[in-house]
Amino acid sequence: MGRKILVTGGAGFIGSNFIHYWMKKYPEDRVVNLDKLTYAGNLDNLKDVADNPGYKFVKGDISDPEVVGELFRDRPDVVVHFAAETHVDRSIGNPDDFIRTDIYGTYVLLEAARNSEVGCFIQISTDEVYGSVEEGFSRETDTLLPRNPYAASKTGAERLAYSYFATYGLPVIITRASNNFGPYQYPEKVIPLFVTNALDDIPLPLYGDGLNIRDWLFVDDHCSGIDLLIHRGEKGEVYNVGGGNLLNNRELTGRILDYLGLPETLIRRVKDREGHDRRYALDSSKLKELGWSPAADFESEMNATIDWYRNNRWWWEKIKSGDFKKYYREQYENR
Ligand code: NAD
Ligand code: TYD
């Protein structure tokens, strides 16, 4: 008999990659995907598993105790909680949904989990909880200093999850991953935005001086880290999951244009993001000691990711010609 895995936010970027990863590796398990289908949720991401008898989609909000309670009555063995509002720029304009989903929604899930017999609750957090790290590498014991409403909401959510471990013994494990890249990432995020703009000959809006540094992690390596933690992670612990590929945004943009054979004149320098964190960098030795290492070769996975967007216009053209247009105008016009 396989296990029952409850995934929240499985119609988003990392969640859908995780469902693909999991169903391929553990075909005997049953996966239930609870997703509200916000602007970022997209069932196109899961087309190829939709008819699999081991997969079930439930449209619903993690903040709704009825929906969540019903799913816990089915006694999941493992919960992997991805669902969140995730885009920093949107959180600057309107933090409301971030508080509602990332904090309150996590609370509703934790409450339901507390009264269940779930064996493992994975709280997906982020390296952004450490704030801007000018030098060195963040360790799990470092002070948390989130600096934008998204990062602060994620910090609230993961600390709340930890409190359910400390207070009620809920088997929580927290991951703090660095910036993921790969297929099915909503094109508001820098890599899919810049690749798809470049493919359409639209300027690439580079914020500020373009020297902000991110640590890039191929999404499958994030999934393998979660997999390892479900099987061997210590409950109540936090684990960094960093790709170890530190690049500033100018370097990142240069690589994209270079691979596509396009000129740097496509770059348009625009006004910086408010409170823009300068650098994120993770020390992932704690997870590595458990046996994890990122399998991806950065350059080949980046190129494969660029190729995926080049070859799957059907996926992103639909998004970019819809509500996204209004968002793009508001974010980038007159910037
Ligand atoms: P995403 O924005 O692509 O997807 C989020 C998903 O959550 C969507 O399918 C959306 O419909 C769903 N959702 C949002 N609100 C919901 C609600 N109230 N109820 C149910 N479903 C809801 O996000 P992503 O990039 O895949 O990120 C997934 C998780 O990983 C998030 O918790 C994020 O904070 C974390 N994370 C992301 C990155 C990254 O680089 N993308 C890095 C570290 C951590
Ligand atoms: P993003 O993909 O939004 O991820 P995060 O803010 O969570 O790290 O942005 C990655 C980096 O790219 C960040 O330093 C901001 C920068 N950026 C731009 O320069 N232009 C853009 O249009 C976007 C969306 C991001």
Side-chain angles (χ1 to χ4, degrees):
M1 252 291 267
R3 295 159 292 189
K4 291 178 199 160
I5 316 291
L6 173 60
V7 173
T8 71
F13 162 48
I14 307 175
S16 61
N17 278 283
F18 179 78
I19 290 174
H20 285 125
Y21 169 99
W22 198 269
M23 294 188 67
K24 190 166 171 213
K25 186 158 176 196
Y26 304 107
E28 69 284 4
D29 285 355
R30 283 195 285 141
V31 174
V32 174
N33 171 18
L34 171 63
D35 197 296
K36 186 180 176 183
L37 296 183
T38 67
Y39 78 91
N42 184 353
L43 291 180
D44 281 349
N45 301 3
L46 294 158
K47 263 188 168 166
D48 41 347
V49 296
D51 297 329
N52 188 314
Y55 169 76
K56 186 175 152 196
F57 173 65
V58 177
K59 183 171 186 304
D61 191 327
I62 56 163
S63 315
D64 180 345
E66 264 181 46
V67 178
V68 169
E70 182 65 35
L71 292 177
F72 273 91
R73 272 192 283 285
D74 198 31
R75 295 171 173 268
D77 298 298
V78 176
V79 176
V80 189
H81 173 32
F82 294 100
E85 287 295 332
T86 62
H87 192 41
V88 173
D89 292 320
R90 291 187 196 249
S91 86
I92 293 168
N94 182 11
D96 197 79
D97 286 344
F98 289 75
I99 313 298
R100 213 178 290 283
T101 287
D102 301 12
I103 301 179
Y104 188 77
T106 298
Y107 156 71
V108 171
L109 274 180
L110 289 166
E111 267 300 294
R114 166 155 96 92
N115 298 310
S116 78
E117 279 164 22
V118 71
C120 181
F121 186 108
I122 302 281
Q123 173 68 25
I124 303 292
S125 192
T126 164
D127 60 0
E128 302 205 17
V129 300
Y130 295 113
S132 192
V133 181
E134 307 289 322
E135 54 189 38
F137 294 85
S138 303
R139 302 208 58 160
E140 289 83 351
T141 45
D142 286 357
T143 305
L144 305 184
L145 213 63
R147 290 168 20 93
N148 61 63
Y150 162 66
S153 306
K154 293 295 294 183
T155 308
E158 69 147 81
R159 291 299 88 203
L160 192 63
Y162 178 75
S163 80
Y164 273 62
F165 165 78
T167 308
Y168 308 115
L170 188 72
V172 169
I173 295 176
I174 294 160
T175 64
R176 293 185 188 141
S178 61
N179 283 61
N180 285 219
F181 69 97
Y184 302 115
Q185 186 169 29
Y186 193 83
E188 65 191 350
K189 304 283 168 43
V190 74
I191 291 180
L193 180 71
F194 281 15
V195 172
T196 58
N197 273 16
L199 290 168
D200 278 349
D201 204 27
I202 296 169
L204 316 188
L206 186 65
Y207 294 166
D209 63 8
L211 293 177
N212 303 68
I213 293 172
R214 297 292 182 268
D215 173 357
W216 292 98
L217 170 71
F218 183 53
V219 64
D220 279 4
D221 284 327
H222 188 181
C223 296
S224 74
I226 298 167
D227 182 0
L228 182 69
L229 290 173
I230 289 171
H231 292 97
R232 304 209 7 226
E234 196 170 327
K235 305 299 187 298
E237 290 295 312
V238 177
Y239 295 87
N240 288 341
V241 193
N245 305 297
L246 271 68
L247 250 66
N248 72 41
N249 293 332
R250 278 195 215 169
E251 292 163 338
L252 180 75
T253 310
R255 274 172 183 259
I256 293 171
L257 290 173
D258 199 38
Y259 186 66
L260 290 172
L262 294 168
E264 300 239 335
T265 48
L266 258 186
I267 298 174
R268 184 161 66 94
R269 296 275 281 274
V270 300
K271 187 164 110 356
D272 208 354
R273 172 186 281 172
E274 290 96 334
H276 194 175
D277 286 340
R278 195 62 170 167
R279 178 175 176 273
Y280 302 134
L282 289 178
D283 177 336
S284 305
S285 44
K286 185 170 170 185
L287 186 58
K288 286 184 176 158
E289 276 159 28
L290 271 190
W292 177 83
S293 61
D297 168 66
F298 177 67
E299 186 165 348
S300 48
E301 289 305 346
M302 257 301 281
N303 293 349
T305 297
I306 296 170
D307 283 336
W308 188 86
Y309 290 99
R310 181 154 46 189
N311 297 330
N312 288 280
R313 275 184 172 267
W314 69 272
W315 183 84
W316 56 266
E317 277 181 343
K318 231 194 263 184
I319 297 172
K320 284 188 110 176
S321 60
D323 291 347
F324 184 84
K325 270 188 176 167
K326 183 167 173 279
Y327 162 80
Y328 195 81
R329 250 196 324 273
E330 285 169 4
Q331 274 295 326
Y332 296 99
E333 243 176 41
N334 311 318
R335 185 168 184 141

